[in-house]
């Protein structure tokens, strides 16, 4: 029996996943993973056959084209590669995997290679162990050929009669998460990444248990190991004993029951015990997410992270969706929400949300570079295309426009100029849109908090992005697990900034919502209510938990308590006081 042990990391979502490890190396990470439909199996087999033939021909050409004076080893190496290709591990096994597990060709090949690589690791003879590199090089050749052959996006299916799988990878980027988002993977374990990385946000949004920041996961977890991902505690148990497994299965079913109980709150208004109704909105990445928004009966969408439409493109080609494609996506969201408002944020790329072939390597500090509004203002065609698409969607229902990462009044002025230009273009084309679309901005740069009148004087509404606000105010990279312990939403500086924003916006008569991850954390709901926030935007999956908290809160009781918390200067004291506040029994 394999030895059982546990690893401790950063809990980035909630719940428990039980399944077998699907370990993904860096090369494999770049390949696509999806299930093919029953009727597509033979076509997929054909695709792999064609790729193998093409690589065989490629190697033969390489061999004959070798110059006379080329080192003899080079020729021998090509021979070895050609031989590997004819071995059963390439010519037979991957085909079996496609047929039995319905994996796509790339995935089937990588699965086979990973299994073979693990066997090579156990070989003591150093020469033979070295052959592992040859194996991987040949596999890369085939994968490259495959990826070149098939350009269109795969359609992942949700059905799988295999055992549940848990992805284990060194680094799960937001783009990788998108690739897996509709797959049947039941959990994620990543060697890097923090609570507030965008990959973590997607894990929460899709309600998949995930533990990140386990730097030695790839060394310690083997392909097919049984795993329990306990995302509540931030631990991963590898090869659990039958007793532990049983306990986790019980815990899992208790959680499922609790969820069902929560669903009874669905129809109720989010009204506090003293009678104040709180607006609970949803954060989404794709129009399809609106189904979950409706399922949880949110009041609308407070943050549509439009950049995910741009990041979804796989295959390394930087192809932005054109105006029609964007318009379709925004309109779909608006139509699905049937009159509830949809706040669409303009493209917020940069930092960890890099596009497939964007300039990621160029900037030393990408989070401080040409990100979000800075990118859009320097790419007028991209910005105008998006603005036209968003405005056109406003003809189908209430739409608000949200600008990310503003720090200067001039940025807002320029953005408003572009919005006017987009409107003029639509008018001249006779395309309908809502003339009175509201424009707001994310408050996520500390300078914006300290110079709020610059924004309240120019905009219709504000939305606080605590994820970046914390990152920039505390100088803590939100995706770096090494500094994750310093990323504290309850730092007195952060609470002071939230209060300042709410107060200034209130005086200016401008509505302010909160859409960072703090809004999703029901343990912070009372704190945020006491700070004066009345609009929360979060993952739809968290909405009922937050609603329950609102229903049990009395603003008259908690407001003076939060005023007192704001006078505290020690992080630990604040954490304790917030916990007490969360646990306090409140009545009318
Ligand atoms: C934020 O920064 O809090 C936010 C909501 O935006 P994002 O997480 O997409 O950067
Ligand atoms: Mg942000």
């Amino acid at each position: 029996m394999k030895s059982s042990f546990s690893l401790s990391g950063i809990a980035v979502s909630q719940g428990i996943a039980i399944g077998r490890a699907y370990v993904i190396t860096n090369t494999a990470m770049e390949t696509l993973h999806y299930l093919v439909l029953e009727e597509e199996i033979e076509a997929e087999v054909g695709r792999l056959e064609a790729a193998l033939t093409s690589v065989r021909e490629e190697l033969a050409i390489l061999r004959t084209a070798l110059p006379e004076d080329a080192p003899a080893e080079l020729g021998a190496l090509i021979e070895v590669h050609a031989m590997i290709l004819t071995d059963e591990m390439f010519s037979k096994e991957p085909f079996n995997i496609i047929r039995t597990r319905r994996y796509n060709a790339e995935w089937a090949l990588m699965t086979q290679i990973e299994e073979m690589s693990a066997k090579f690791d156990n070989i003591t003879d150093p020469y033979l162990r070295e052959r592992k590199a040859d194996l991987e090089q040949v596999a890369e050749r085939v994968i490259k050929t495959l990826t070149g052959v098939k350009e269109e996006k795969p359609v992942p299916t949700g059905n799988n009669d295999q055992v549940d799988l848990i992805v284990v990878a060194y680094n799960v980027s937001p783009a990788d998460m998108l690739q897996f988002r509709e797959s049947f993977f039941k959990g994620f374990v990543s060697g890097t990444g923090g609570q507030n990385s965008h990959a973590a946000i997607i894990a929460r949004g899709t309600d998949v248990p995930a533990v990140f920041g386990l730097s030695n996961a790839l060394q310690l977890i083997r392909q097919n190991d049984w795993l329990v991902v306990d995302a509540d505690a931030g631990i991963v148990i590898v090869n659990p004993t039958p007793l532990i497994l049983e306990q986790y299965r019980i815990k899992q079913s208790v959680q499922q029951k609790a969820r069902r109980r929560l669903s009874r709150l669905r129809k109720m208004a989010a009204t506090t015990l003293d009678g104040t109704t709180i607006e609970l909105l949803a954060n989404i990445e794709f129009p399809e997410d609106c189904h979950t928004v409706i399922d949880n009966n949110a009041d609308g969408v407070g943050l549509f992270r439009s950049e995910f439409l741009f990041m979804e493109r796989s295959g390394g080609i930087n192809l932005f969706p054109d105006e029609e494609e964007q318009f379709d996506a925004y309109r779909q969201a608006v139509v699905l929400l049937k009159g509830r408002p949809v706040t669409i944020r303009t493209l917020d790329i940069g930092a960890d949300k890099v596009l497939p072939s964007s300039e990621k390597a160029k900037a030393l500090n990408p989070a401080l570079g040409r990100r979000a509004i800075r990118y859009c203002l320097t790419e007028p065609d991209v910005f105008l295309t998006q603005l036209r698409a968003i405005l056109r969607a406003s003809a189908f229902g209430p739409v608000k426009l949200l600008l990310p990462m503003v720090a200067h009044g001039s940025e807002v002025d320029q953005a408003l100029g572009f919005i006017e230009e987009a409107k003029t273009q639509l008018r001249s084309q006779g395309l309908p849109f809502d003339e009175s679309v509201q424009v707001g901005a994310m408050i996520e740069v500390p300078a914006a908090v300290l110079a709020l009148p610059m924004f309240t004087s120019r905009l219709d509404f504000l939305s606080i992005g605590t994820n970046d606000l914390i990152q920039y105010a505390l100088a803590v990279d939100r995706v770096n697990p090494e500094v994750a312990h310093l990323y504290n939403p309850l730092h007195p500086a952060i609470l002071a900034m939230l209060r300042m924003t709410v107060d200034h916006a209130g005086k200016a008569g401008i509505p302010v919502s909160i859409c960072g991850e703090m809004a999703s954390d029901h343990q912070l709901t009372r704190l945020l209510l006491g700070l004066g926030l009345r609009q929360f935007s979060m993952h739809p999956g968290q909405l009922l938990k937050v609603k329950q908290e609102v229903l049990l809160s009395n603003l008259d009781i908690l407001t003076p308590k939060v005023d007192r918390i704001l006078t505290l200067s020690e992080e630990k004291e604040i954490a304790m006081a917030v916990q007490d506040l969360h646990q306090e029994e409140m009545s009318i």
Side-chain angles (χ1 to χ4, degrees), residues 444-446 466-478 483-495 497 571:
E444 52 186 346
V445 177
T466 49
N467 307 338
D468 279 313
L469 188 61
I470 298 167
Q471 145 162 285
Y472 295 128
L474 303 182
V476 175
D477 184 346
R478 62 194 267 192
V483 289
H485 60 291
L486 299 173
Y487 188 100
N488 181 14
L490 299 182
H491 189 290
I494 303 300
L495 302 193
M497 284 201 267
E571 291 171 73

PDB file of all heavy atoms in Angstrom, residues 444-446 466-478 483-495 497 571:
ATOM      1  N   GLU A 444      -9.357  50.667  -7.149  1.00  0.00           N
ATOM      2  CA  GLU A 444      -8.464  49.558  -6.801  1.00  0.00           C
ATOM      3  C   GLU A 444      -7.006  49.990  -6.747  1.00  0.00           C
ATOM      4  O   GLU A 444      -6.119  49.175  -6.519  1.00  0.00           O
ATOM      5  CB  GLU A 444      -8.667  48.383  -7.762  1.00  0.00           C
ATOM      6  CG  GLU A 444      -8.580  48.720  -9.223  1.00  0.00           C
ATOM      7  CD  GLU A 444      -8.937  47.543 -10.136  1.00  0.00           C
ATOM      8  OE1 GLU A 444      -9.011  46.400  -9.680  1.00  0.00           O
ATOM      9  OE2 GLU A 444      -9.125  47.797 -11.343  1.00  0.00           O
ATOM     10  N   VAL A 445      -6.793  51.288  -6.968  1.00  0.00           N
ATOM     11  CA  VAL A 445      -5.445  51.830  -6.825  1.00  0.00           C
ATOM     12  C   VAL A 445      -5.510  52.775  -5.615  1.00  0.00           C
ATOM     13  O   VAL A 445      -6.402  53.622  -5.555  1.00  0.00           O
ATOM     14  CB  VAL A 445      -5.036  52.608  -8.100  1.00  0.00           C
ATOM     15  CG1 VAL A 445      -3.673  53.254  -7.945  1.00  0.00           C
ATOM     16  CG2 VAL A 445      -5.091  51.709  -9.314  1.00  0.00           C
ATOM     17  N   PRO A 446      -4.611  52.628  -4.638  1.00  0.00           N
ATOM     18  CA  PRO A 446      -4.715  53.465  -3.434  1.00  0.00           C
ATOM     19  C   PRO A 446      -4.819  54.959  -3.741  1.00  0.00           C
ATOM     20  O   PRO A 446      -5.556  55.688  -3.076  1.00  0.00           O
ATOM     21  CB  PRO A 446      -3.425  53.132  -2.676  1.00  0.00           C
ATOM     22  CG  PRO A 446      -3.091  51.739  -3.099  1.00  0.00           C
ATOM     23  CD  PRO A 446      -3.534  51.621  -4.524  1.00  0.00           C
ATOM     24  N   THR A 466     -11.180  45.204  -4.123  1.00  0.00           N
ATOM     25  CA  THR A 466     -10.254  45.019  -2.991  1.00  0.00           C
ATOM     26  C   THR A 466      -9.063  44.126  -3.341  1.00  0.00           C
ATOM     27  O   THR A 466      -8.012  44.227  -2.716  1.00  0.00           O
ATOM     28  CB  THR A 466     -10.992  44.410  -1.782  1.00  0.00           C
ATOM     29  OG1 THR A 466     -11.745  43.287  -2.230  1.00  0.00           O
ATOM     30  CG2 THR A 466     -11.909  45.416  -1.135  1.00  0.00           C
ATOM     31  N   ASN A 467      -9.223  43.277  -4.352  1.00  0.00           N
ATOM     32  CA  ASN A 467      -8.106  42.369  -4.671  1.00  0.00           C
ATOM     33  C   ASN A 467      -6.862  43.161  -5.047  1.00  0.00           C
ATOM     34  O   ASN A 467      -5.763  42.911  -4.548  1.00  0.00           O
ATOM     35  CB  ASN A 467      -8.468  41.446  -5.837  1.00  0.00           C
ATOM     36  CG  ASN A 467      -9.761  40.713  -5.596  1.00  0.00           C
ATOM     37  OD1 ASN A 467     -10.171  40.569  -4.448  1.00  0.00           O
ATOM     38  ND2 ASN A 467     -10.414  40.272  -6.649  1.00  0.00           N
ATOM     39  N   ASP A 468      -7.050  44.106  -5.941  1.00  0.00           N
ATOM     40  CA  ASP A 468      -5.903  44.913  -6.333  1.00  0.00           C
ATOM     41  C   ASP A 468      -5.605  45.998  -5.304  1.00  0.00           C
ATOM     42  O   ASP A 468      -4.439  46.346  -5.090  1.00  0.00           O
ATOM     43  CB  ASP A 468      -6.144  45.539  -7.713  1.00  0.00           C
ATOM     44  CG  ASP A 468      -5.847  44.540  -8.809  1.00  0.00           C
ATOM     45  OD1 ASP A 468      -4.783  43.896  -8.739  1.00  0.00           O
ATOM     46  OD2 ASP A 468      -6.684  44.370  -9.708  1.00  0.00           O
ATOM     47  N   LEU A 469      -6.650  46.516  -4.686  1.00  0.00           N
ATOM     48  CA  LEU A 469      -6.409  47.573  -3.693  1.00  0.00           C
ATOM     49  C   LEU A 469      -5.455  47.057  -2.599  1.00  0.00           C
ATOM     50  O   LEU A 469      -4.518  47.743  -2.200  1.00  0.00           O
ATOM     51  CB  LEU A 469      -7.748  48.010  -3.077  1.00  0.00           C
ATOM     52  CG  LEU A 469      -7.686  49.237  -2.173  1.00  0.00           C
ATOM     53  CD1 LEU A 469      -7.186  50.464  -2.929  1.00  0.00           C
ATOM     54  CD2 LEU A 469      -9.062  49.547  -1.568  1.00  0.00           C
ATOM     55  N   ILE A 470      -5.692  45.829  -2.154  1.00  0.00           N
ATOM     56  CA  ILE A 470      -4.828  45.254  -1.110  1.00  0.00           C
ATOM     57  C   ILE A 470      -3.417  45.039  -1.679  1.00  0.00           C
ATOM     58  O   ILE A 470      -2.414  45.376  -1.057  1.00  0.00           O
ATOM     59  CB  ILE A 470      -5.421  43.921  -0.583  1.00  0.00           C
ATOM     60  CG1 ILE A 470      -6.793  44.174   0.048  1.00  0.00           C
ATOM     61  CG2 ILE A 470      -4.475  43.259   0.417  1.00  0.00           C
ATOM     62  CD1 ILE A 470      -7.611  42.918   0.316  1.00  0.00           C
ATOM     63  N   GLN A 471      -3.376  44.464  -2.889  1.00  0.00           N
ATOM     64  CA  GLN A 471      -2.072  44.207  -3.511  1.00  0.00           C
ATOM     65  C   GLN A 471      -1.241  45.487  -3.615  1.00  0.00           C
ATOM     66  O   GLN A 471      -0.065  45.518  -3.257  1.00  0.00           O
ATOM     67  CB  GLN A 471      -2.299  43.589  -4.898  1.00  0.00           C
ATOM     68  CG  GLN A 471      -1.304  43.973  -5.976  1.00  0.00           C
ATOM     69  CD  GLN A 471      -1.300  43.029  -7.173  1.00  0.00           C
ATOM     70  OE1 GLN A 471      -0.778  41.923  -7.102  1.00  0.00           O
ATOM     71  NE2 GLN A 471      -1.849  43.487  -8.292  1.00  0.00           N
ATOM     72  N   TYR A 472      -1.880  46.561  -4.098  1.00  0.00           N
ATOM     73  CA  TYR A 472      -1.116  47.793  -4.309  1.00  0.00           C
ATOM     74  C   TYR A 472      -0.857  48.556  -3.006  1.00  0.00           C
ATOM     75  O   TYR A 472       0.190  49.170  -2.845  1.00  0.00           O
ATOM     76  CB  TYR A 472      -1.831  48.693  -5.330  1.00  0.00           C
ATOM     77  CG  TYR A 472      -1.888  48.083  -6.726  1.00  0.00           C
ATOM     78  CD1 TYR A 472      -3.091  47.980  -7.423  1.00  0.00           C
ATOM     79  CD2 TYR A 472      -0.735  47.604  -7.342  1.00  0.00           C
ATOM     80  CE1 TYR A 472      -3.146  47.413  -8.696  1.00  0.00           C
ATOM     81  CE2 TYR A 472      -0.781  47.038  -8.620  1.00  0.00           C
ATOM     82  CZ  TYR A 472      -1.994  46.947  -9.285  1.00  0.00           C
ATOM     83  OH  TYR A 472      -2.037  46.381 -10.537  1.00  0.00           O
ATOM     84  N   ALA A 473      -1.818  48.498  -2.085  1.00  0.00           N
ATOM     85  CA  ALA A 473      -1.622  49.257  -0.841  1.00  0.00           C
ATOM     86  C   ALA A 473      -0.571  48.600   0.046  1.00  0.00           C
ATOM     87  O   ALA A 473       0.222  49.296   0.688  1.00  0.00           O
ATOM     88  CB  ALA A 473      -2.951  49.361  -0.084  1.00  0.00           C
ATOM     89  N   LEU A 474      -0.568  47.271   0.081  1.00  0.00           N
ATOM     90  CA  LEU A 474       0.388  46.582   0.963  1.00  0.00           C
ATOM     91  C   LEU A 474       1.653  46.161   0.220  1.00  0.00           C
ATOM     92  O   LEU A 474       2.549  45.551   0.812  1.00  0.00           O
ATOM     93  CB  LEU A 474      -0.268  45.348   1.604  1.00  0.00           C
ATOM     94  CG  LEU A 474      -1.550  45.580   2.413  1.00  0.00           C
ATOM     95  CD1 LEU A 474      -2.035  44.278   3.022  1.00  0.00           C
ATOM     96  CD2 LEU A 474      -1.334  46.620   3.508  1.00  0.00           C
ATOM     97  N   ALA A 475       1.720  46.452  -1.067  1.00  0.00           N
ATOM     98  CA  ALA A 475       2.873  46.047  -1.892  1.00  0.00           C
ATOM     99  C   ALA A 475       3.097  44.546  -1.796  1.00  0.00           C
ATOM    100  O   ALA A 475       4.208  44.063  -1.612  1.00  0.00           O
ATOM    101  CB  ALA A 475       4.138  46.810  -1.495  1.00  0.00           C
ATOM    102  N   VAL A 476       1.997  43.783  -1.894  1.00  0.00           N
ATOM    103  CA  VAL A 476       2.068  42.316  -1.825  1.00  0.00           C
ATOM    104  C   VAL A 476       1.483  41.744  -3.118  1.00  0.00           C
ATOM    105  O   VAL A 476       0.302  41.939  -3.400  1.00  0.00           O
ATOM    106  CB  VAL A 476       1.237  41.781  -0.627  1.00  0.00           C
ATOM    107  CG1 VAL A 476       1.215  40.265  -0.643  1.00  0.00           C
ATOM    108  CG2 VAL A 476       1.806  42.284   0.685  1.00  0.00           C
ATOM    109  N   ASP A 477       2.316  41.074  -3.882  1.00  0.00           N
ATOM    110  CA  ASP A 477       1.877  40.465  -5.132  1.00  0.00           C
ATOM    111  C   ASP A 477       0.763  39.450  -4.848  1.00  0.00           C
ATOM    112  O   ASP A 477       0.970  38.498  -4.093  1.00  0.00           O
ATOM    113  CB  ASP A 477       3.091  39.769  -5.774  1.00  0.00           C
ATOM    114  CG  ASP A 477       2.783  39.177  -7.131  1.00  0.00           C
ATOM    115  OD1 ASP A 477       1.591  39.061  -7.474  1.00  0.00           O
ATOM    116  OD2 ASP A 477       3.737  38.824  -7.846  1.00  0.00           O
ATOM    117  N   ARG A 478      -0.385  39.646  -5.450  1.00  0.00           N
ATOM    118  CA  ARG A 478      -1.525  38.783  -5.122  1.00  0.00           C
ATOM    119  C   ARG A 478      -1.361  37.352  -5.612  1.00  0.00           C
ATOM    120  O   ARG A 478      -2.110  36.470  -5.221  1.00  0.00           O
ATOM    121  CB  ARG A 478      -2.843  39.394  -5.642  1.00  0.00           C
ATOM    122  CG  ARG A 478      -2.907  39.548  -7.132  1.00  0.00           C
ATOM    123  CD  ARG A 478      -4.061  40.448  -7.552  1.00  0.00           C
ATOM    124  NE  ARG A 478      -5.271  39.711  -7.861  1.00  0.00           N
ATOM    125  CZ  ARG A 478      -6.329  40.244  -8.475  1.00  0.00           C
ATOM    126  NH1 ARG A 478      -6.320  41.533  -8.813  1.00  0.00           N
ATOM    127  NH2 ARG A 478      -7.389  39.544  -8.728  1.00  0.00           N
ATOM    128  N   VAL A 483       4.560  35.544  -0.339  1.00  0.00           N
ATOM    129  CA  VAL A 483       4.146  36.703   0.462  1.00  0.00           C
ATOM    130  C   VAL A 483       2.649  36.645   0.786  1.00  0.00           C
ATOM    131  O   VAL A 483       2.081  37.628   1.266  1.00  0.00           O
ATOM    132  CB  VAL A 483       4.514  38.039  -0.239  1.00  0.00           C
ATOM    133  CG1 VAL A 483       6.008  38.265  -0.213  1.00  0.00           C
ATOM    134  CG2 VAL A 483       4.004  38.073  -1.679  1.00  0.00           C
ATOM    135  N   ALA A 484       2.059  35.479   0.530  1.00  0.00           N
ATOM    136  CA  ALA A 484       0.607  35.355   0.720  1.00  0.00           C
ATOM    137  C   ALA A 484       0.196  35.665   2.165  1.00  0.00           C
ATOM    138  O   ALA A 484      -0.884  36.189   2.415  1.00  0.00           O
ATOM    139  CB  ALA A 484       0.139  33.965   0.322  1.00  0.00           C
ATOM    140  N   HIS A 485       1.057  35.348   3.131  1.00  0.00           N
ATOM    141  CA  HIS A 485       0.704  35.585   4.539  1.00  0.00           C
ATOM    142  C   HIS A 485       0.610  37.080   4.852  1.00  0.00           C
ATOM    143  O   HIS A 485       0.067  37.463   5.874  1.00  0.00           O
ATOM    144  CB  HIS A 485       1.734  34.918   5.456  1.00  0.00           C
ATOM    145  CG  HIS A 485       3.126  35.426   5.254  1.00  0.00           C
ATOM    146  ND1 HIS A 485       3.848  35.177   4.109  1.00  0.00           N
ATOM    147  CD2 HIS A 485       3.903  36.205   6.033  1.00  0.00           C
ATOM    148  CE1 HIS A 485       5.031  35.766   4.207  1.00  0.00           C
ATOM    149  NE2 HIS A 485       5.081  36.396   5.356  1.00  0.00           N
ATOM    150  N   LEU A 486       1.162  37.912   3.972  1.00  0.00           N
ATOM    151  CA  LEU A 486       1.105  39.364   4.223  1.00  0.00           C
ATOM    152  C   LEU A 486      -0.109  40.015   3.552  1.00  0.00           C
ATOM    153  O   LEU A 486      -0.372  41.195   3.740  1.00  0.00           O
ATOM    154  CB  LEU A 486       2.385  40.035   3.693  1.00  0.00           C
ATOM    155  CG  LEU A 486       3.676  39.547   4.341  1.00  0.00           C
ATOM    156  CD1 LEU A 486       4.881  40.138   3.641  1.00  0.00           C
ATOM    157  CD2 LEU A 486       3.691  39.934   5.821  1.00  0.00           C
ATOM    158  N   TYR A 487      -0.794  39.238   2.755  1.00  0.00           N
ATOM    159  CA  TYR A 487      -1.948  39.773   2.018  1.00  0.00           C
ATOM    160  C   TYR A 487      -3.157  39.749   2.958  1.00  0.00           C
ATOM    161  O   TYR A 487      -3.905  38.779   3.024  1.00  0.00           O
ATOM    162  CB  TYR A 487      -2.184  38.893   0.779  1.00  0.00           C
ATOM    163  CG  TYR A 487      -3.216  39.430  -0.173  1.00  0.00           C
ATOM    164  CD1 TYR A 487      -2.848  40.119  -1.325  1.00  0.00           C
ATOM    165  CD2 TYR A 487      -4.571  39.255   0.070  1.00  0.00           C
ATOM    166  CE1 TYR A 487      -3.800  40.604  -2.203  1.00  0.00           C
ATOM    167  CE2 TYR A 487      -5.534  39.747  -0.794  1.00  0.00           C
ATOM    168  CZ  TYR A 487      -5.134  40.409  -1.927  1.00  0.00           C
ATOM    169  OH  TYR A 487      -6.084  40.900  -2.792  1.00  0.00           O
ATOM    170  N   ASN A 488      -3.310  40.811   3.719  1.00  0.00           N
ATOM    171  CA  ASN A 488      -4.335  40.799   4.756  1.00  0.00           C
ATOM    172  C   ASN A 488      -5.432  41.838   4.517  1.00  0.00           C
ATOM    173  O   ASN A 488      -5.210  43.036   4.709  1.00  0.00           O
ATOM    174  CB  ASN A 488      -3.670  41.052   6.124  1.00  0.00           C
ATOM    175  CG  ASN A 488      -4.697  41.030   7.244  1.00  0.00           C
ATOM    176  OD1 ASN A 488      -5.834  40.580   7.060  1.00  0.00           O
ATOM    177  ND2 ASN A 488      -4.313  41.529   8.409  1.00  0.00           N
ATOM    178  N   PRO A 489      -6.624  41.369   4.138  1.00  0.00           N
ATOM    179  CA  PRO A 489      -7.734  42.304   3.899  1.00  0.00           C
ATOM    180  C   PRO A 489      -8.096  43.099   5.154  1.00  0.00           C
ATOM    181  O   PRO A 489      -8.729  44.149   5.062  1.00  0.00           O
ATOM    182  CB  PRO A 489      -8.899  41.386   3.521  1.00  0.00           C
ATOM    183  CG  PRO A 489      -8.302  40.079   3.168  1.00  0.00           C
ATOM    184  CD  PRO A 489      -7.015  39.969   3.907  1.00  0.00           C
ATOM    185  N   LEU A 490      -7.693  42.572   6.328  1.00  0.00           N
ATOM    186  CA  LEU A 490      -8.055  43.254   7.576  1.00  0.00           C
ATOM    187  C   LEU A 490      -6.935  44.145   8.100  1.00  0.00           C
ATOM    188  O   LEU A 490      -6.933  44.532   9.273  1.00  0.00           O
ATOM    189  CB  LEU A 490      -8.458  42.215   8.636  1.00  0.00           C
ATOM    190  CG  LEU A 490      -9.669  41.362   8.259  1.00  0.00           C
ATOM    191  CD1 LEU A 490     -10.021  40.406   9.381  1.00  0.00           C
ATOM    192  CD2 LEU A 490     -10.875  42.239   7.919  1.00  0.00           C
ATOM    193  N   HIS A 491      -5.999  44.476   7.268  1.00  0.00           N
ATOM    194  CA  HIS A 491      -4.968  45.450   7.662  1.00  0.00           C
ATOM    195  C   HIS A 491      -5.685  46.784   7.929  1.00  0.00           C
ATOM    196  O   HIS A 491      -6.578  47.167   7.167  1.00  0.00           O
ATOM    197  CB  HIS A 491      -3.966  45.587   6.507  1.00  0.00           C
ATOM    198  CG  HIS A 491      -2.751  46.380   6.845  1.00  0.00           C
ATOM    199  ND1 HIS A 491      -2.792  47.746   7.059  1.00  0.00           N
ATOM    200  CD2 HIS A 491      -1.467  46.013   7.023  1.00  0.00           C
ATOM    201  CE1 HIS A 491      -1.577  48.172   7.339  1.00  0.00           C
ATOM    202  NE2 HIS A 491      -0.750  47.141   7.326  1.00  0.00           N
ATOM    203  N   PRO A 492      -5.294  47.489   9.005  1.00  0.00           N
ATOM    204  CA  PRO A 492      -6.023  48.739   9.301  1.00  0.00           C
ATOM    205  C   PRO A 492      -6.016  49.735   8.140  1.00  0.00           C
ATOM    206  O   PRO A 492      -6.983  50.483   7.955  1.00  0.00           O
ATOM    207  CB  PRO A 492      -5.287  49.308  10.525  1.00  0.00           C
ATOM    208  CG  PRO A 492      -4.091  48.448  10.759  1.00  0.00           C
ATOM    209  CD  PRO A 492      -4.274  47.176  10.006  1.00  0.00           C
ATOM    210  N   ALA A 493      -4.953  49.712   7.341  1.00  0.00           N
ATOM    211  CA  ALA A 493      -4.895  50.651   6.203  1.00  0.00           C
ATOM    212  C   ALA A 493      -6.000  50.332   5.188  1.00  0.00           C
ATOM    213  O   ALA A 493      -6.584  51.247   4.585  1.00  0.00           O
ATOM    214  CB  ALA A 493      -3.528  50.563   5.528  1.00  0.00           C
ATOM    215  N   ILE A 494      -6.291  49.037   5.027  1.00  0.00           N
ATOM    216  CA  ILE A 494      -7.320  48.655   4.046  1.00  0.00           C
ATOM    217  C   ILE A 494      -8.704  49.073   4.563  1.00  0.00           C
ATOM    218  O   ILE A 494      -9.510  49.661   3.837  1.00  0.00           O
ATOM    219  CB  ILE A 494      -7.290  47.125   3.783  1.00  0.00           C
ATOM    220  CG1 ILE A 494      -5.903  46.691   3.305  1.00  0.00           C
ATOM    221  CG2 ILE A 494      -8.382  46.703   2.804  1.00  0.00           C
ATOM    222  CD1 ILE A 494      -5.425  47.332   2.024  1.00  0.00           C
ATOM    223  N   LEU A 495      -8.940  48.814   5.848  1.00  0.00           N
ATOM    224  CA  LEU A 495     -10.251  49.189   6.402  1.00  0.00           C
ATOM    225  C   LEU A 495     -10.436  50.705   6.328  1.00  0.00           C
ATOM    226  O   LEU A 495     -11.521  51.198   5.996  1.00  0.00           O
ATOM    227  CB  LEU A 495     -10.381  48.705   7.853  1.00  0.00           C
ATOM    228  CG  LEU A 495     -10.224  47.189   8.070  1.00  0.00           C
ATOM    229  CD1 LEU A 495     -10.680  46.801   9.475  1.00  0.00           C
ATOM    230  CD2 LEU A 495     -10.999  46.394   7.034  1.00  0.00           C
ATOM    231  N   MET A 497      -9.206  52.674   4.132  1.00  0.00           N
ATOM    232  CA  MET A 497      -9.472  53.064   2.736  1.00  0.00           C
ATOM    233  C   MET A 497     -10.910  52.745   2.325  1.00  0.00           C
ATOM    234  O   MET A 497     -11.528  53.497   1.573  1.00  0.00           O
ATOM    235  CB  MET A 497      -8.475  52.384   1.797  1.00  0.00           C
ATOM    236  CG  MET A 497      -7.120  53.054   1.858  1.00  0.00           C
ATOM    237  SD  MET A 497      -6.139  52.707   0.420  1.00  0.00           S
ATOM    238  CE  MET A 497      -5.294  51.344   1.018  1.00  0.00           C
ATOM    239  N   GLU A 571      -3.325  44.280  13.640  1.00  0.00           N
ATOM    240  CA  GLU A 571      -4.016  43.354  12.739  1.00  0.00           C
ATOM    241  C   GLU A 571      -4.689  42.205  13.493  1.00  0.00           C
ATOM    242  O   GLU A 571      -5.802  41.792  13.162  1.00  0.00           O
ATOM    243  CB  GLU A 571      -3.037  42.789  11.696  1.00  0.00           C
ATOM    244  CG  GLU A 571      -2.574  43.849  10.706  1.00  0.00           C
ATOM    245  CD  GLU A 571      -1.460  43.381   9.803  1.00  0.00           C
ATOM    246  OE1 GLU A 571      -1.713  42.575   8.903  1.00  0.00           O
ATOM    247  OE2 GLU A 571      -0.312  43.832  10.016  1.00  0.00           O
TER     248      GLU A 571
END
